[in-house]
Each structure stands twice: as C-alpha cells, then as structure tokens.
Amino acid sequence: MSNSKGIEVGVLDTGEPEKVIQSIELLHGSFAGSDRYTVARLSEELKQLDVPLYRQFFIATLRTNKEERVVGIGGVKAADWASNTHILYLSAVHPEFRNLGIGKRLVKDRVHWIRSNFSGGRVLVSTPKIERFKQFGFRQVTESCHKGRAIMLMEY
Ligand SMILES: CC(C)(COP(=O)(O)OP(=O)(O)OC[C@H]1O[C@@H](n2cnc3c(N)ncnc32)[C@H](O)[C@@H]1OP(=O)(O)O)[C@@H](O)C(=O)NCCC(=O)NCCS
C-alpha cells in the first residue's frame, strides 16, 4: 500500500520532458473517456505562460533511488475574461496514491501560491466536493449540475 511519505510538491518545470510526459499521461488516464482532454490538448495546456495571462502546474513527485515519478498534478491559470481572477483546474492524483491527502495538498499549495503572488483577487474552481472546498475558504456560487459539480469562489 502506498503512503504520502517521500512525496514532494512543487512547480512543474516544463523544461523537464520526462516530467511533462508523465504529467500528460496522468491527466489523460484520470480523465479517460472525456473528449475535452485529448493528449494534444493536454500537451498544449501544460505549456507554461507568464503573467498576466499566466498558466502553470504544480506536481507531486515521489523520489526513489532510481527515479522521480509524477503522482499528482494540479493546474492554475489566470482567467482571460476578467482581471485578478484565478482558476484551479486539471487536478489528478494517480489511483495508487489517492486518499492520502495529495489532492488536498495540491489545492492548498496552489491557493497559497496565488495569494502570495497576487495581492487581492478571487479564485474559482468547479468541483463536486463542496464541503471540502468550504474548508479551504471557498463558497458555492452555483447549484450543483454536471456530475454534482458546482462553481465555487474564494475572494481574498
Ligand atoms: C479528485 C482527486 C484529485 C483527489 O485526489 P486525492 O489525493 O485522492 O485527494 P485527497 O486524498 O487529498 O482527499 C480526498 C478527498 O478530497 C477530494 N479532493 C481533493 N482534491 C480535490 C480536487 N482538486 N477536486 C475534487 N476533489 C478533491 C477527494 O475526492 C476526496 O473526497 P472525500 O474525502 O469526500 O472522499 C483524485 O481523486 C482524482 O485524480 N480523481 C480523478 C480526476 C478528477 O476527478 N479530478 C478533479 C476534477 S478537476
């Protein structure tokens, strides 16, 4: 059984092709069956962009003596239709490593990163985990719809 020991979270360096490939595979596997997340789109989406219309990914990696393996990922980007508005998206944890707190850590670290880098704004997420995101400081702003997902907002 896996545990979260030895797992580190940091920004995906898109200059490291092996990590980018593993990240695409993880996302593609986690969203299998969805025509929104083709390998072509994910490859494009993982390209880092700088402010103002920034986009970047945080990854959770497990280091063994032989290799570093990507076991979790979560994206954050600026909304292109409103200023000071950030979006959490494309979150996935490898099935072998779920329910160990990695998804939560990826949310916390992205929110912390936004708050440290942008002095005031709002963060949006679409999630079925209403109570979970309330604990992070989000409030529900739509009814739940597709697959129980609602839009949630955090203003800071
Ligand atoms: C959702 C997911 C990222 C959670 O990762 P995890 O490491 O297992 O999460 P944790 O161990 O930190 O926490 C477990 C709980 O928080 C939820 N959670 C944590 N991060 C989440 C996120 N970014 N989005 C939705 N739910 C999340 C988990 O579903 C789970 O809920 P429960 O306690 O009610 O069962 C993972 O289950 C996954 O990859 N699912 C498939 C892809 C997906 O649905 N992604 C989210 C939509 S973008």
Side-chain angles (χ1 to χ4, degrees):
M1 201 178 137
S2 304
N3 64 51
S4 62
K5 222 172 131 225
I7 289 175
E8 288 173 12
V9 173
V11 173
L12 170 65
D13 177 352
T14 51
E16 293 191 61
E18 183 55 37
K19 284 189 186 158
V20 173
I21 290 165
Q22 287 189 31
S23 298
I24 293 169
E25 284 173 353
L26 174 55
L27 285 167
H28 193 245
S30 299
F31 295 102
S34 167
D35 54 9
R36 291 173 66 89
Y37 304 112
T38 59
V39 169
R41 183 200 156 194
L42 291 169
S43 310
E44 197 54 38
E45 198 66 35
L46 256 63
K47 289 180 185 157
Q48 190 170 343
L49 294 177
D50 290 329
V51 284
L53 291 180
Y54 79 87
R55 180 171 73 202
Q56 76 172 5
F57 284 78
F58 283 71
I59 52 169
T61 52
L62 177 66
R63 192 188 291 274
T64 62
N65 27 11
K66 284 202 198 124
E67 53 168 18
E68 207 177 350
R69 176 179 171 197
V70 177
V71 297
I73 186 161
V76 53
K77 66 180 177 183
D80 63 2
W81 44 269
S83 6
N84 305 317
T85 305
H86 311 269
I87 295 169
L88 302 185
Y89 76 130
L90 286 178
S91 306
V93 171
H94 190 284
E96 277 173 38
F97 294 86
R98 287 187 189 160
N99 296 313
L100 298 173
I102 298 172
K104 195 172 169 181
R105 168 91 190 271
L106 284 162
V107 174
K108 272 172 87 174
D109 283 19
R110 280 177 288 168
V111 168
H112 177 75
W113 179 84
I114 292 167
R115 296 183 71 135
S116 311
N117 285 280
F118 304 93
S119 62
R122 52 224 171 155
V123 187
L124 285 165
V125 68
S126 168
T127 180
K129 300 290 178 185
I130 311 301
E131 295 309 315
R132 179 67 54 145
F133 276 83
K134 278 184 185 166
Q135 288 169 19
F136 291 124
F138 287 76
R139 65 186 159 85
Q140 190 175 348
V141 291
T142 65
E143 292 299 315
S144 299
C145 58
H146 180 63
K147 293 187 179 167
R149 285 171 184 274
I151 301 290
M152 297 189 74
L153 169 73
M154 186 186 76
E155 292 170 288
Y156 67 96

PDB file of all heavy atoms in Angstrom, residues 68-104:
ATOM      1  N   GLU A  68      12.348   9.803 -10.339  1.00  0.00           N
ATOM      2  CA  GLU A  68      11.348  10.670  -9.733  1.00  0.00           C
ATOM      3  C   GLU A  68      10.069  10.463 -10.531  1.00  0.00           C
ATOM      4  O   GLU A  68      10.075  10.595 -11.754  1.00  0.00           O
ATOM      5  CB  GLU A  68      11.817  12.123  -9.843  1.00  0.00           C
ATOM      6  CG  GLU A  68      11.265  12.989  -8.754  1.00  0.00           C
ATOM      7  CD  GLU A  68      11.794  14.406  -8.845  1.00  0.00           C
ATOM      8  OE1 GLU A  68      12.722  14.658  -9.624  1.00  0.00           O
ATOM      9  OE2 GLU A  68      11.250  15.266  -8.138  1.00  0.00           O
ATOM     10  N   ARG A  69       8.991  10.139  -9.824  1.00  0.00           N
ATOM     11  CA  ARG A  69       7.752   9.805 -10.518  1.00  0.00           C
ATOM     12  C   ARG A  69       6.675  10.831 -10.182  1.00  0.00           C
ATOM     13  O   ARG A  69       6.478  11.163  -9.009  1.00  0.00           O
ATOM     14  CB  ARG A  69       7.327   8.404 -10.055  1.00  0.00           C
ATOM     15  CG  ARG A  69       6.032   7.946 -10.600  1.00  0.00           C
ATOM     16  CD  ARG A  69       5.715   6.535 -10.105  1.00  0.00           C
ATOM     17  NE  ARG A  69       4.359   6.202 -10.487  1.00  0.00           N
ATOM     18  CZ  ARG A  69       3.668   5.212  -9.952  1.00  0.00           C
ATOM     19  NH1 ARG A  69       4.199   4.452  -9.024  1.00  0.00           N
ATOM     20  NH2 ARG A  69       2.427   4.982 -10.349  1.00  0.00           N
ATOM     21  N   VAL A  70       5.949  11.274 -11.220  1.00  0.00           N
ATOM     22  CA  VAL A  70       4.852  12.230 -11.003  1.00  0.00           C
ATOM     23  C   VAL A  70       3.614  11.442 -10.562  1.00  0.00           C
ATOM     24  O   VAL A  70       3.128  10.585 -11.300  1.00  0.00           O
ATOM     25  CB  VAL A  70       4.544  13.030 -12.295  1.00  0.00           C
ATOM     26  CG1 VAL A  70       3.355  13.955 -12.077  1.00  0.00           C
ATOM     27  CG2 VAL A  70       5.764  13.819 -12.748  1.00  0.00           C
ATOM     28  N   VAL A  71       3.109  11.737  -9.341  1.00  0.00           N
ATOM     29  CA  VAL A  71       1.944  11.003  -8.834  1.00  0.00           C
ATOM     30  C   VAL A  71       0.711  11.901  -8.666  1.00  0.00           C
ATOM     31  O   VAL A  71      -0.376  11.417  -8.391  1.00  0.00           O
ATOM     32  CB  VAL A  71       2.269  10.278  -7.506  1.00  0.00           C
ATOM     33  CG1 VAL A  71       3.346   9.226  -7.717  1.00  0.00           C
ATOM     34  CG2 VAL A  71       2.673  11.262  -6.415  1.00  0.00           C
ATOM     35  N   GLY A  72       0.908  13.204  -8.821  1.00  0.00           N
ATOM     36  CA  GLY A  72      -0.234  14.108  -8.712  1.00  0.00           C
ATOM     37  C   GLY A  72       0.037  15.399  -9.459  1.00  0.00           C
ATOM     38  O   GLY A  72       1.203  15.772  -9.663  1.00  0.00           O
ATOM     39  N   ILE A  73      -1.035  16.058  -9.867  1.00  0.00           N
ATOM     40  CA  ILE A  73      -0.871  17.314 -10.618  1.00  0.00           C
ATOM     41  C   ILE A  73      -2.085  18.205 -10.415  1.00  0.00           C
ATOM     42  O   ILE A  73      -3.207  17.712 -10.183  1.00  0.00           O
ATOM     43  CB  ILE A  73      -0.643  17.019 -12.133  1.00  0.00           C
ATOM     44  CG1 ILE A  73      -0.333  18.316 -12.894  1.00  0.00           C
ATOM     45  CG2 ILE A  73      -1.842  16.299 -12.758  1.00  0.00           C
ATOM     46  CD1 ILE A  73       0.332  18.093 -14.232  1.00  0.00           C
ATOM     47  N   GLY A  74      -1.881  19.509 -10.484  1.00  0.00           N
ATOM     48  CA  GLY A  74      -2.997  20.455 -10.416  1.00  0.00           C
ATOM     49  C   GLY A  74      -2.604  21.744 -11.121  1.00  0.00           C
ATOM     50  O   GLY A  74      -1.506  22.255 -10.916  1.00  0.00           O
ATOM     51  N   GLY A  75      -3.487  22.246 -11.956  1.00  0.00           N
ATOM     52  CA  GLY A  75      -3.181  23.452 -12.726  1.00  0.00           C
ATOM     53  C   GLY A  75      -3.776  24.701 -12.096  1.00  0.00           C
ATOM     54  O   GLY A  75      -4.754  24.645 -11.343  1.00  0.00           O
ATOM     55  N   VAL A  76      -3.162  25.827 -12.423  1.00  0.00           N
ATOM     56  CA  VAL A  76      -3.702  27.132 -12.016  1.00  0.00           C
ATOM     57  C   VAL A  76      -3.433  28.094 -13.159  1.00  0.00           C
ATOM     58  O   VAL A  76      -2.366  28.055 -13.779  1.00  0.00           O
ATOM     59  CB  VAL A  76      -3.077  27.611 -10.687  1.00  0.00           C
ATOM     60  CG1 VAL A  76      -1.575  27.609 -10.697  1.00  0.00           C
ATOM     61  CG2 VAL A  76      -3.602  28.982 -10.286  1.00  0.00           C
ATOM     62  N   LYS A  77      -4.445  28.911 -13.475  1.00  0.00           N
ATOM     63  CA  LYS A  77      -4.239  29.877 -14.547  1.00  0.00           C
ATOM     64  C   LYS A  77      -5.083  31.123 -14.320  1.00  0.00           C
ATOM     65  O   LYS A  77      -6.067  31.095 -13.562  1.00  0.00           O
ATOM     66  CB  LYS A  77      -4.556  29.266 -15.911  1.00  0.00           C
ATOM     67  CG  LYS A  77      -6.005  28.892 -16.143  1.00  0.00           C
ATOM     68  CD  LYS A  77      -6.141  28.296 -17.546  1.00  0.00           C
ATOM     69  CE  LYS A  77      -7.556  27.839 -17.827  1.00  0.00           C
ATOM     70  NZ  LYS A  77      -7.691  27.203 -19.160  1.00  0.00           N
ATOM     71  N   ALA A  78      -4.679  32.188 -15.002  1.00  0.00           N
ATOM     72  CA  ALA A  78      -5.457  33.429 -14.950  1.00  0.00           C
ATOM     73  C   ALA A  78      -6.653  33.278 -15.879  1.00  0.00           C
ATOM     74  O   ALA A  78      -6.523  32.737 -16.979  1.00  0.00           O
ATOM     75  CB  ALA A  78      -4.585  34.585 -15.435  1.00  0.00           C
ATOM     76  N   ALA A  79      -7.816  33.747 -15.428  1.00  0.00           N
ATOM     77  CA  ALA A  79      -8.958  33.809 -16.339  1.00  0.00           C
ATOM     78  C   ALA A  79      -8.625  34.835 -17.422  1.00  0.00           C
ATOM     79  O   ALA A  79      -8.044  35.885 -17.109  1.00  0.00           O
ATOM     80  CB  ALA A  79     -10.212  34.227 -15.566  1.00  0.00           C
ATOM     81  N   ASP A  80      -8.977  34.544 -18.668  1.00  0.00           N
ATOM     82  CA  ASP A  80      -8.649  35.512 -19.731  1.00  0.00           C
ATOM     83  C   ASP A  80      -9.797  36.481 -19.979  1.00  0.00           C
ATOM     84  O   ASP A  80      -9.741  37.317 -20.865  1.00  0.00           O
ATOM     85  CB  ASP A  80      -8.227  34.788 -21.019  1.00  0.00           C
ATOM     86  CG  ASP A  80      -9.335  33.942 -21.606  1.00  0.00           C
ATOM     87  OD1 ASP A  80     -10.453  33.931 -21.042  1.00  0.00           O
ATOM     88  OD2 ASP A  80      -9.077  33.280 -22.631  1.00  0.00           O
ATOM     89  N   TRP A  81     -10.862  36.411 -19.149  1.00  0.00           N
ATOM     90  CA  TRP A  81     -12.039  37.262 -19.338  1.00  0.00           C
ATOM     91  C   TRP A  81     -12.260  38.210 -18.174  1.00  0.00           C
ATOM     92  O   TRP A  81     -13.241  38.965 -18.178  1.00  0.00           O
ATOM     93  CB  TRP A  81     -13.282  36.382 -19.547  1.00  0.00           C
ATOM     94  CG  TRP A  81     -13.348  35.233 -18.588  1.00  0.00           C
ATOM     95  CD1 TRP A  81     -12.839  33.973 -18.788  1.00  0.00           C
ATOM     96  CD2 TRP A  81     -13.893  35.235 -17.261  1.00  0.00           C
ATOM     97  NE1 TRP A  81     -13.044  33.198 -17.668  1.00  0.00           N
ATOM     98  CE2 TRP A  81     -13.686  33.946 -16.725  1.00  0.00           C
ATOM     99  CE3 TRP A  81     -14.540  36.196 -16.486  1.00  0.00           C
ATOM    100  CZ2 TRP A  81     -14.101  33.591 -15.442  1.00  0.00           C
ATOM    101  CZ3 TRP A  81     -14.949  35.846 -15.199  1.00  0.00           C
ATOM    102  CH2 TRP A  81     -14.725  34.557 -14.694  1.00  0.00           C
ATOM    103  N   ALA A  82     -11.399  38.165 -17.159  1.00  0.00           N
ATOM    104  CA  ALA A  82     -11.548  39.071 -16.010  1.00  0.00           C
ATOM    105  C   ALA A  82     -10.200  39.202 -15.329  1.00  0.00           C
ATOM    106  O   ALA A  82      -9.447  38.231 -15.250  1.00  0.00           O
ATOM    107  CB  ALA A  82     -12.565  38.512 -15.015  1.00  0.00           C
ATOM    108  N   SER A  83      -9.877  40.412 -14.839  1.00  0.00           N
ATOM    109  CA  SER A  83      -8.594  40.547 -14.140  1.00  0.00           C
ATOM    110  C   SER A  83      -8.693  40.042 -12.704  1.00  0.00           C
ATOM    111  O   SER A  83      -9.793  39.877 -12.174  1.00  0.00           O
ATOM    112  CB  SER A  83      -8.086  41.989 -14.129  1.00  0.00           C
ATOM    113  OG  SER A  83      -9.006  42.847 -14.655  1.00  0.00           O
ATOM    114  N   ASN A  84      -7.546  39.805 -12.105  1.00  0.00           N
ATOM    115  CA  ASN A  84      -7.449  39.348 -10.704  1.00  0.00           C
ATOM    116  C   ASN A  84      -8.302  38.108 -10.437  1.00  0.00           C
ATOM    117  O   ASN A  84      -8.842  37.950  -9.340  1.00  0.00           O
ATOM    118  CB  ASN A  84      -7.862  40.472  -9.737  1.00  0.00           C
ATOM    119  CG  ASN A  84      -7.061  41.727  -9.978  1.00  0.00           C
ATOM    120  OD1 ASN A  84      -5.848  41.659 -10.178  1.00  0.00           O
ATOM    121  ND2 ASN A  84      -7.720  42.869 -10.020  1.00  0.00           N
ATOM    122  N   THR A  85      -8.448  37.274 -11.441  1.00  0.00           N
ATOM    123  CA  THR A  85      -9.299  36.093 -11.311  1.00  0.00           C
ATOM    124  C   THR A  85      -8.487  34.855 -11.712  1.00  0.00           C
ATOM    125  O   THR A  85      -7.940  34.813 -12.818  1.00  0.00           O
ATOM    126  CB  THR A  85     -10.554  36.233 -12.192  1.00  0.00           C
ATOM    127  OG1 THR A  85     -11.196  37.467 -11.835  1.00  0.00           O
ATOM    128  CG2 THR A  85     -11.522  35.089 -12.012  1.00  0.00           C
ATOM    129  N   HIS A  86      -8.424  33.907 -10.808  1.00  0.00           N
ATOM    130  CA  HIS A  86      -7.579  32.726 -10.993  1.00  0.00           C
ATOM    131  C   HIS A  86      -8.454  31.477 -11.001  1.00  0.00           C
ATOM    132  O   HIS A  86      -9.467  31.436 -10.304  1.00  0.00           O
ATOM    133  CB  HIS A  86      -6.557  32.634  -9.856  1.00  0.00           C
ATOM    134  CG  HIS A  86      -5.830  33.934  -9.635  1.00  0.00           C
ATOM    135  ND1 HIS A  86      -4.656  34.242 -10.263  1.00  0.00           N
ATOM    136  CD2 HIS A  86      -6.166  35.022  -8.889  1.00  0.00           C
ATOM    137  CE1 HIS A  86      -4.274  35.459  -9.901  1.00  0.00           C
ATOM    138  NE2 HIS A  86      -5.180  35.960  -9.073  1.00  0.00           N
ATOM    139  N   ILE A  87      -8.019  30.487 -11.769  1.00  0.00           N
ATOM    140  CA  ILE A  87      -8.811  29.269 -11.914  1.00  0.00           C
ATOM    141  C   ILE A  87      -7.962  28.058 -11.519  1.00  0.00           C
ATOM    142  O   ILE A  87      -6.828  27.918 -11.994  1.00  0.00           O
ATOM    143  CB  ILE A  87      -9.283  29.111 -13.379  1.00  0.00           C
ATOM    144  CG1 ILE A  87     -10.233  30.253 -13.729  1.00  0.00           C
ATOM    145  CG2 ILE A  87      -9.953  27.756 -13.600  1.00  0.00           C
ATOM    146  CD1 ILE A  87     -10.543  30.354 -15.213  1.00  0.00           C
ATOM    147  N   LEU A  88      -8.527  27.219 -10.643  1.00  0.00           N
ATOM    148  CA  LEU A  88      -7.885  25.930 -10.347  1.00  0.00           C
ATOM    149  C   LEU A  88      -8.505  24.913 -11.288  1.00  0.00           C
ATOM    150  O   LEU A  88      -9.731  24.842 -11.412  1.00  0.00           O
ATOM    151  CB  LEU A  88      -8.164  25.491  -8.903  1.00  0.00           C
ATOM    152  CG  LEU A  88      -7.736  26.426  -7.778  1.00  0.00           C
ATOM    153  CD1 LEU A  88      -7.990  25.755  -6.433  1.00  0.00           C
ATOM    154  CD2 LEU A  88      -6.277  26.829  -7.906  1.00  0.00           C
ATOM    155  N   TYR A  89      -7.685  24.105 -11.930  1.00  0.00           N
ATOM    156  CA  TYR A  89      -8.241  23.145 -12.890  1.00  0.00           C
ATOM    157  C   TYR A  89      -7.266  21.997 -13.105  1.00  0.00           C
ATOM    158  O   TYR A  89      -6.132  22.018 -12.626  1.00  0.00           O
ATOM    159  CB  TYR A  89      -8.609  23.853 -14.192  1.00  0.00           C
ATOM    160  CG  TYR A  89      -7.438  24.213 -15.107  1.00  0.00           C
ATOM    161  CD1 TYR A  89      -7.452  23.884 -16.451  1.00  0.00           C
ATOM    162  CD2 TYR A  89      -6.318  24.891 -14.614  1.00  0.00           C
ATOM    163  CE1 TYR A  89      -6.396  24.211 -17.288  1.00  0.00           C
ATOM    164  CE2 TYR A  89      -5.263  25.219 -15.451  1.00  0.00           C
ATOM    165  CZ  TYR A  89      -5.309  24.870 -16.780  1.00  0.00           C
ATOM    166  OH  TYR A  89      -4.255  25.180 -17.590  1.00  0.00           O
ATOM    167  N   LEU A  90      -7.743  20.994 -13.864  1.00  0.00           N
ATOM    168  CA  LEU A  90      -6.933  19.825 -14.206  1.00  0.00           C
ATOM    169  C   LEU A  90      -6.176  19.267 -12.990  1.00  0.00           C
ATOM    170  O   LEU A  90      -4.943  19.277 -12.951  1.00  0.00           O
ATOM    171  CB  LEU A  90      -5.968  20.169 -15.350  1.00  0.00           C
ATOM    172  CG  LEU A  90      -6.609  20.299 -16.732  1.00  0.00           C
ATOM    173  CD1 LEU A  90      -5.574  20.681 -17.777  1.00  0.00           C
ATOM    174  CD2 LEU A  90      -7.306  19.015 -17.157  1.00  0.00           C
ATOM    175  N   SER A  91      -6.953  18.790 -12.013  1.00  0.00           N
ATOM    176  CA  SER A  91      -6.351  18.162 -10.829  1.00  0.00           C
ATOM    177  C   SER A  91      -6.463  16.652 -10.967  1.00  0.00           C
ATOM    178  O   SER A  91      -7.540  16.144 -11.287  1.00  0.00           O
ATOM    179  CB  SER A  91      -7.108  18.559  -9.566  1.00  0.00           C
ATOM    180  OG  SER A  91      -7.190  19.954  -9.467  1.00  0.00           O
ATOM    181  N   ALA A  92      -5.405  15.949 -10.708  1.00  0.00           N
ATOM    182  CA  ALA A  92      -5.455  14.480 -10.761  1.00  0.00           C
ATOM    183  C   ALA A  92      -4.364  13.892  -9.881  1.00  0.00           C
ATOM    184  O   ALA A  92      -3.262  14.431  -9.785  1.00  0.00           O
ATOM    185  CB  ALA A  92      -5.292  13.987 -12.196  1.00  0.00           C
ATOM    186  N   VAL A  93      -4.721  12.781  -9.255  1.00  0.00           N
ATOM    187  CA  VAL A  93      -3.752  12.019  -8.468  1.00  0.00           C
ATOM    188  C   VAL A  93      -3.812  10.584  -8.995  1.00  0.00           C
ATOM    189  O   VAL A  93      -4.895  10.060  -9.295  1.00  0.00           O
ATOM    190  CB  VAL A  93      -4.101  12.091  -6.951  1.00  0.00           C
ATOM    191  CG1 VAL A  93      -3.244  11.131  -6.150  1.00  0.00           C
ATOM    192  CG2 VAL A  93      -3.918  13.523  -6.445  1.00  0.00           C
ATOM    193  N   HIS A  94      -2.653   9.969  -9.136  1.00  0.00           N
ATOM    194  CA  HIS A  94      -2.600   8.593  -9.642  1.00  0.00           C
ATOM    195  C   HIS A  94      -3.431   7.694  -8.717  1.00  0.00           C
ATOM    196  O   HIS A  94      -3.343   7.817  -7.488  1.00  0.00           O
ATOM    197  CB  HIS A  94      -1.137   8.124  -9.660  1.00  0.00           C
ATOM    198  CG  HIS A  94      -0.966   6.831 -10.376  1.00  0.00           C
ATOM    199  ND1 HIS A  94      -1.313   5.619  -9.818  1.00  0.00           N
ATOM    200  CD2 HIS A  94      -0.516   6.570 -11.620  1.00  0.00           C
ATOM    201  CE1 HIS A  94      -1.071   4.663 -10.680  1.00  0.00           C
ATOM    202  NE2 HIS A  94      -0.588   5.198 -11.789  1.00  0.00           N
ATOM    203  N   PRO A  95      -4.251   6.778  -9.305  1.00  0.00           N
ATOM    204  CA  PRO A  95      -5.143   5.944  -8.486  1.00  0.00           C
ATOM    205  C   PRO A  95      -4.447   5.246  -7.312  1.00  0.00           C
ATOM    206  O   PRO A  95      -5.026   5.130  -6.229  1.00  0.00           O
ATOM    207  CB  PRO A  95      -5.691   4.917  -9.485  1.00  0.00           C
ATOM    208  CG  PRO A  95      -5.615   5.602 -10.811  1.00  0.00           C
ATOM    209  CD  PRO A  95      -4.440   6.545 -10.755  1.00  0.00           C
ATOM    210  N   GLU A  96      -3.214   4.828  -7.494  1.00  0.00           N
ATOM    211  CA  GLU A  96      -2.497   4.143  -6.392  1.00  0.00           C
ATOM    212  C   GLU A  96      -2.198   5.068  -5.220  1.00  0.00           C
ATOM    213  O   GLU A  96      -1.846   4.601  -4.138  1.00  0.00           O
ATOM    214  CB  GLU A  96      -1.118   3.670  -6.881  1.00  0.00           C
ATOM    215  CG  GLU A  96      -1.090   2.384  -7.618  1.00  0.00           C
ATOM    216  CD  GLU A  96       0.310   2.156  -8.189  1.00  0.00           C
ATOM    217  OE1 GLU A  96       1.320   2.479  -7.525  1.00  0.00           O
ATOM    218  OE2 GLU A  96       0.374   1.682  -9.336  1.00  0.00           O
ATOM    219  N   PHE A  97      -2.292   6.381  -5.467  1.00  0.00           N
ATOM    220  CA  PHE A  97      -1.887   7.343  -4.434  1.00  0.00           C
ATOM    221  C   PHE A  97      -3.039   8.228  -3.961  1.00  0.00           C
ATOM    222  O   PHE A  97      -2.819   9.253  -3.343  1.00  0.00           O
ATOM    223  CB  PHE A  97      -0.732   8.217  -4.960  1.00  0.00           C
ATOM    224  CG  PHE A  97       0.532   7.433  -5.189  1.00  0.00           C
ATOM    225  CD1 PHE A  97       0.748   6.784  -6.387  1.00  0.00           C
ATOM    226  CD2 PHE A  97       1.478   7.320  -4.184  1.00  0.00           C
ATOM    227  CE1 PHE A  97       1.901   6.031  -6.594  1.00  0.00           C
ATOM    228  CE2 PHE A  97       2.634   6.585  -4.369  1.00  0.00           C
ATOM    229  CZ  PHE A  97       2.846   5.934  -5.578  1.00  0.00           C
ATOM    230  N   ARG A  98      -4.266   7.813  -4.261  1.00  0.00           N
ATOM    231  CA  ARG A  98      -5.419   8.638  -3.846  1.00  0.00           C
ATOM    232  C   ARG A  98      -5.741   8.451  -2.367  1.00  0.00           C
ATOM    233  O   ARG A  98      -5.347   7.451  -1.773  1.00  0.00           O
ATOM    234  CB  ARG A  98      -6.642   8.282  -4.714  1.00  0.00           C
ATOM    235  CG  ARG A  98      -6.460   8.855  -6.114  1.00  0.00           C
ATOM    236  CD  ARG A  98      -7.672   8.699  -7.005  1.00  0.00           C
ATOM    237  NE  ARG A  98      -7.268   9.083  -8.369  1.00  0.00           N
ATOM    238  CZ  ARG A  98      -7.901   8.737  -9.468  1.00  0.00           C
ATOM    239  NH1 ARG A  98      -8.998   8.018  -9.397  1.00  0.00           N
ATOM    240  NH2 ARG A  98      -7.454   9.133 -10.643  1.00  0.00           N
ATOM    241  N   ASN A  99      -6.474   9.422  -1.838  1.00  0.00           N
ATOM    242  CA  ASN A  99      -6.908   9.406  -0.429  1.00  0.00           C
ATOM    243  C   ASN A  99      -5.745   9.422   0.563  1.00  0.00           C
ATOM    244  O   ASN A  99      -5.844   8.886   1.663  1.00  0.00           O
ATOM    245  CB  ASN A  99      -7.838   8.218  -0.151  1.00  0.00           C
ATOM    246  CG  ASN A  99      -9.123   8.362  -0.950  1.00  0.00           C
ATOM    247  OD1 ASN A  99      -9.717   9.441  -0.962  1.00  0.00           O
ATOM    248  ND2 ASN A  99      -9.526   7.317  -1.638  1.00  0.00           N
ATOM    249  N   LEU A 100      -4.661  10.023   0.146  1.00  0.00           N
ATOM    250  CA  LEU A 100      -3.507  10.184   1.046  1.00  0.00           C
ATOM    251  C   LEU A 100      -3.275  11.656   1.358  1.00  0.00           C
ATOM    252  O   LEU A 100      -2.273  12.015   1.961  1.00  0.00           O
ATOM    253  CB  LEU A 100      -2.239   9.616   0.382  1.00  0.00           C
ATOM    254  CG  LEU A 100      -2.231   8.123   0.060  1.00  0.00           C
ATOM    255  CD1 LEU A 100      -0.984   7.758  -0.741  1.00  0.00           C
ATOM    256  CD2 LEU A 100      -2.288   7.314   1.346  1.00  0.00           C
ATOM    257  N   GLY A 101      -4.173  12.518   0.856  1.00  0.00           N
ATOM    258  CA  GLY A 101      -4.021  13.947   1.119  1.00  0.00           C
ATOM    259  C   GLY A 101      -3.252  14.694   0.042  1.00  0.00           C
ATOM    260  O   GLY A 101      -2.980  15.892   0.185  1.00  0.00           O
ATOM    261  N   ILE A 102      -2.900  14.016  -1.048  1.00  0.00           N
ATOM    262  CA  ILE A 102      -2.102  14.687  -2.089  1.00  0.00           C
ATOM    263  C   ILE A 102      -2.952  15.715  -2.842  1.00  0.00           C
ATOM    264  O   ILE A 102      -2.504  16.840  -3.103  1.00  0.00           O
ATOM    265  CB  ILE A 102      -1.485  13.652  -3.065  1.00  0.00           C
ATOM    266  CG1 ILE A 102      -0.529  12.730  -2.295  1.00  0.00           C
ATOM    267  CG2 ILE A 102      -0.766  14.344  -4.219  1.00  0.00           C
ATOM    268  CD1 ILE A 102      -0.013  11.546  -3.097  1.00  0.00           C
ATOM    269  N   GLY A 103      -4.215  15.342  -3.154  1.00  0.00           N
ATOM    270  CA  GLY A 103      -5.102  16.286  -3.839  1.00  0.00           C
ATOM    271  C   GLY A 103      -5.296  17.549  -3.010  1.00  0.00           C
ATOM    272  O   GLY A 103      -5.232  18.676  -3.517  1.00  0.00           O
ATOM    273  N   LYS A 104      -5.490  17.349  -1.708  1.00  0.00           N
ATOM    274  CA  LYS A 104      -5.694  18.479  -0.798  1.00  0.00           C
ATOM    275  C   LYS A 104      -4.437  19.361  -0.754  1.00  0.00           C
ATOM    276  O   LYS A 104      -4.517  20.586  -0.790  1.00  0.00           O
ATOM    277  CB  LYS A 104      -5.973  17.883   0.587  1.00  0.00           C
ATOM    278  CG  LYS A 104      -6.535  18.827   1.578  1.00  0.00           C
ATOM    279  CD  LYS A 104      -6.926  18.047   2.825  1.00  0.00           C
ATOM    280  CE  LYS A 104      -7.239  19.024   3.941  1.00  0.00           C
ATOM    281  NZ  LYS A 104      -7.605  18.344   5.175  1.00  0.00           N
TER     282      LYS A 104
END
